[in-house]
Amino acid sequence: MIDWDRVNELRDEVGEEEFEPVLELFIDEVEHLVMQLSLDDSAQLERFMHFLKGSAWNLGFADFGARCGEIEALAAAGDLAGVSLEDLVACYSSSKRIFHQDLSRRTGHGGQRAGVEVA
């Protein structure tokens, strides 16, 4: 579900001081877009999925990124009949929960700011 090698790579790339702000930015942006998801506009959904896919893979949310990629392709083809945004949101929520549960153990980083804490 989480690509911890990628998470550690990102931490090494941005540095320890910038890692937590990057996490906060990702969570804030994803949650903002997730609240706007709709099957009513396939072009907008395709754009949102493209952005979410890239962000997810960059931060190591592998399953969420893969699902965003699948929905992006379906939206591009105009074939949204079998798409469940509820399943996508559930995948994101599960990924976020696992990410927060294991973050300190896997990276040595606690993620204690409000945008990164588990509610």
Side-chain angles (χ1 to χ4, degrees):
M1 182 158 275
I2 303 296
D3 179 353
W4 290 106
D5 290 336
R6 177 60 198 135
V7 174
N8 286 318
E9 270 180 33
L10 178 63
R11 191 188 75 218
D12 292 345
E13 288 170 7
V14 301
E16 189 65 33
E17 296 79 34
E18 292 301 314
F19 184 63
E20 195 167 304
V22 166
L23 296 179
E24 282 186 53
L25 181 62
F26 169 76
I27 298 296
D28 288 347
E29 288 181 345
V30 168
E31 291 186 359
H32 176 74
L33 282 182
V34 164
M35 299 288 288
Q36 298 180 47
L37 294 178
S38 169
L39 297 176
D40 295 337
D41 183 343
S42 62
Q44 181 182 51
L45 184 62
E46 180 184 0
R47 287 190 303 275
F48 285 176
M49 290 298 103
H50 182 77
F51 175 82
L52 290 172
K53 174 186 70 178
S55 295
W57 285 344
N58 192 43
L59 192 59
F61 280 51
D63 287 356
F64 180 64
R67 290 200 182 181
C68 289
E70 292 167 5
I71 295 172
E72 177 188 13
L74 291 170
D79 182 18
L80 298 176
V83 172
S84 170
L85 295 179
E86 292 80 15
D87 288 349
L88 179 70
V89 172
C91 178
Y92 168 71
S93 296
S94 295
S95 297
K96 181 181 170 188
R97 183 177 68 342
I98 290 167
F99 182 83
H100 288 300
Q101 287 174 347
D102 293 346
L103 180 62
S104 180
R105 180 173 59 85
R106 298 275 192 149
T107 67
H109 192 278
Q112 297 301 314
R113 290 192 187 169
V116 182
E117 282 184 70
V118 176

